[in-house]
């Protein structure tokens, strides 16, 4: 027996705890996980997709799933009419590029949200009720694959609430306190809440190029567009494009703001105009969101990650992700099939947690 | 380079990466590692403190998950390193308990305070050895104790301990050497031929 053996034996009778003992810690972890869930963007960065697919494969998938898609690498190379993106249709009447369709719709979206009634910024402790419908949540086995969840959050994200077994559980959110002295964008990077999203969007410049430059800076502050360790299997495949990174960041801002009272009208309009300036942005019309509502899908990666807008009000209603069929972690479902879809069925200011 | 096949269960780095988009995947990391981490902390500080430290460590890890280096497929060094920071805040309590054990023969870390002599290898006079060992461990600098116990109790390699504590491997070696020398000195009264150097890696 060596000295190390003696040390190994020291207090060796301390038991390994069972699940009951570990349950409280697990519940605390899940509370934090769930507090983040409705707020943070669920759609992942998928930096491997462009290189792995190639432009031709992207176009083939686009046809297969009925997309209006042009590969991001050749945004103006492909013409199409209406909803028929096959090459043979390109000779028909007035050719319209994807970029032109996207620019037109995003311009309409910008002017429409500018005319929307102005919602004043709520008090930090204002409770907000969310009813969220999600398709593709792990563990959900309902026939339609849909799950509905309800949660409450204060505008500043410092408290969250949900029902568990019929009991309302209210938490002070871990990490919910705001560091002082941060810029609005840095505050959002540190802690995504309806308020930090609202403030960050409001702080961005109005001109598209200036706005995108500010977004580039925000992304750099947040660790760069691909938060993937250098040398990892993913980073070896391909980095995301700058445009995709910008678009993802704007989605992140808009989705988090939509969990509150949205963004200030003029600022939201500016984000739409900036999106139109991102190369390779495409629109898919006639999408149905997870809550069953009609929507318009906006995407910067050929339609795989989409921000969903209401086709009338152009307010943010959901997010959607289609499978690229490949992934470093596990084999995904076939390309183009719906992977994940998330929509706010209800977002409403309420007097107290638990109120609907 | 790691590439998981379709039937291969996800390793820790897979789970952490998955949690970037599906935060609940992080709970599987808890299910995988919380029990042994808890036991490790409980051996140092008692199970009540371990409850808090393990929960805090996983919350801390969850918040830092996007910074995780996916090249490191096993998350234990990362988790034990985070826990080490939290354990460090209880360093005086740890020393106090070790000294109390050395002085009284009753171990505050164990729920009933019992001496576990019956369960200890009886080749040496167990209780006396345990008390001397407790005294020796109490006398170690906290940094040396971290290295010694990560190797002896958490079964981490030198390299993993270095990663966990953000110190060079050479420092791990020298701290371990120093800690073991002190422990051997403290146990000098017991069958010296039984106490020998043992390579751990």
């Amino acid at each position: 027996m060596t000295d190390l053996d003696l040390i190994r034996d020291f207090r060796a009778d301390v038991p390994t705890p069972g699940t009951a003992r570990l349950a409280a810690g697990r519940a605390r972890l899940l509370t934090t996980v769930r507090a983040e869930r409705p707020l943070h963007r669920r759609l992942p960065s998928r930096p491997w997709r462009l290189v792995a697919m190639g432009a031709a494969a992207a176009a083939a998938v686009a046809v297969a799933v009925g997309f209006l898609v042009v590969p991001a690498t050749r945004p103006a190379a492909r013409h199409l009419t209406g909803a028929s993106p096959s090459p043979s249709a390109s000779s028909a009447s007035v050719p319209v590029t994807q970029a032109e369709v996207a620019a037109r719709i995003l311009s309409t979206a910008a002017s429409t949200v500018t005319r929307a009634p102005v919602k004043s910024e709520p008090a930090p402790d204002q409770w907000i009720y969310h009813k969220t419908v999600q398709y593709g949540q792990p563990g959900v086995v309902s026939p339609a694959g849909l799950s509905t969840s309800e949660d409450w959050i204060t505008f500043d994200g410092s408290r969250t609430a949900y029902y568990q077994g019929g009991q309302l559980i209210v938490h002070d959110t871990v990490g919910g306190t705001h560091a002082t002295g941060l810029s609005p964008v840095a505050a959002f990077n540190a802690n995504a809440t309806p308020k930090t999203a609202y403030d960050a969007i409001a702080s961005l410049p109005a001109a598209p190029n200036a706005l995108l430059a500010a977004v580039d800076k925000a992304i750099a502050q947040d660790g760069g567009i691909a938060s993937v360790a250098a040398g990892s299997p993913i980073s070896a495949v391909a980095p995301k494009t700058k445009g995709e990174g910008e678009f993802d960041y704007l989605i992140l801002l808009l989705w988090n703001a939509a969990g509150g009272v949205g963004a200030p009208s003029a600022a939201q309009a500016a984000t739409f105009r900036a999106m139109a300036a991102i190369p390779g942005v495409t629109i898919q019309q006639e999408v149905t969101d997870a809550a069953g509502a009609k929507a318009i899908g906006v995407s910067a990666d050929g339609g795989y990650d989409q921000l969903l807008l209401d086709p009338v009000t152009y307010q943010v209603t959901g997010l959607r992700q289609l499978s690229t069929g490949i992934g470093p972690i596990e084999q995904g479902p076939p390309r183009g099939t719906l992977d994940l879809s998330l929509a706010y069925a209800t977002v409403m200011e309420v007097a107290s947690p638990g109120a609907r | 380079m790691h590439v998981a096949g379709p039937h291969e269960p996800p390793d820790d780095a897979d789970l952490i990466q998955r949690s970037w988009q599906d935060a609940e995947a992080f709970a599987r990391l808890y299910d995988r590692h919380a029990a042994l981490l808890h036991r490790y902390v409980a051996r140092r500080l008692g199970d009540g403190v371990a409850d808090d430290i393990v929960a805090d460590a996983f919350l801390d890890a969850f918040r830092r998950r996007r910074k995780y280096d996916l090249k490191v497929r096993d998350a234990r060094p990362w988790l034990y390193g985070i826990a080490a920071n939290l354990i460090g805040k209880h360093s005086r309590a740890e020393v106090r308990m070790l000294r109390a054990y050395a002085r009284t023969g009753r171990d505050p870390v164990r729920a009933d305070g019992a001496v576990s002599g019956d369960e200890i290898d009886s080749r040496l006079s167990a209780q006396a050895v345990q008390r001397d060992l407790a005294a020796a461990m109490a006398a170690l600098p906290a940094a040396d104790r971290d290295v010694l116990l990560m190797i002896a109790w958490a079964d981490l390699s030198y390299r993993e301990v270095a990663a966990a504590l953000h110190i060079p491997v050479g420092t791990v070696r020298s701290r371990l050497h120093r800690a073991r020398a002190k422990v051997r000195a403290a146990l000098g009264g017991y069958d010296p031929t039984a106490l020998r150097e043992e390579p751990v890696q």
Side-chain angles (χ1 to χ4, degrees), chain A residues 315-326:
Chain A
Q315 296 299 331
V316 173
T317 62
L319 302 171
R320 217 162 82 106
Q321 179 185 88
L322 302 174
S323 173
T324 57
I326 45 175

Side-chain angles (χ1 to χ4, degrees), chain B:
Chain B
M1 180 174 288
H2 174 96
V3 178
H7 303 297
E8 192 178 333
D11 65 19
D12 293 345
D14 289 333
L15 288 179
I16 292 166
Q17 186 181 18
R18 195 180 297 180
S19 77
W20 294 352
Q21 55 182 281
D22 170 22
E24 290 202 19
F26 208 83
R28 288 182 62 188
L29 205 65
Y30 185 90
D31 297 338
R32 191 176 282 179
H33 295 299
L36 286 177
L37 181 62
H38 188 284
R39 177 166 186 259
Y40 172 76
V41 181
R43 282 173 87 173
R44 296 188 61 170
L45 293 165
D47 52 11
V49 178
D51 290 345
D52 289 339
I53 286 184
V54 170
D56 287 345
F58 273 91
L59 288 177
D60 200 6
F62 176 71
R63 283 186 225 114
R64 289 155 57 174
R65 70 193 188 282
R66 287 174 203 282
K67 310 277 186 203
Y68 186 78
D69 181 353
L70 295 172
K71 289 197 297 296
V72 184
R73 307 309 299 186
D74 179 351
R76 287 185 317 138
W78 184 56
L79 294 169
Y80 280 79
I82 290 170
N85 281 332
L86 300 169
I87 290 169
K89 292 175 185 164
H90 297 268
S91 165
R92 279 193 299 182
E94 182 176 28
V95 169
R96 233 178 4 246
M97 288 191 286
L98 286 166
R99 283 190 189 140
Y101 186 12
R103 215 168 36 241
T104 67
R106 295 180 67 80
D107 188 356
V109 151
R110 278 174 277 229
D112 54 4
V115 175
S116 60
D118 292 349
E119 298 151 35
I120 297 292
D121 192 315
S122 58
R123 281 176 287 176
L124 296 170
S125 67
Q127 186 182 336
V129 172
Q130 298 289 305
R131 291 172 66 170
D132 284 354
L133 200 50
M137 284 168 59
L140 294 177
D144 294 1
R145 196 163 49 240
D146 273 341
V147 168
L148 178 67
L149 296 182
M150 277 190 178
I151 283 170
W153 288 357
D155 286 327
L156 297 182
S157 68
Y158 286 178
R159 192 175 293 280
E160 287 170 332
V161 173
L165 299 174
H166 303 286
I167 55 177
V169 175
T171 308
V172 173
R173 257 178 234 288
S174 59
R175 283 187 189 170
L176 182 68
H177 179 80
R178 202 162 56 209
R180 291 183 66 179
K182 284 186 183 167
V183 168
R184 279 197 300 275
L187 298 175
Y190 304 94
D191 185 5
T193 58
L195 299 173
R196 56 182 165 77
E197 278 277 4
E198 176 200 340
V200 291
Q201 215 174 16

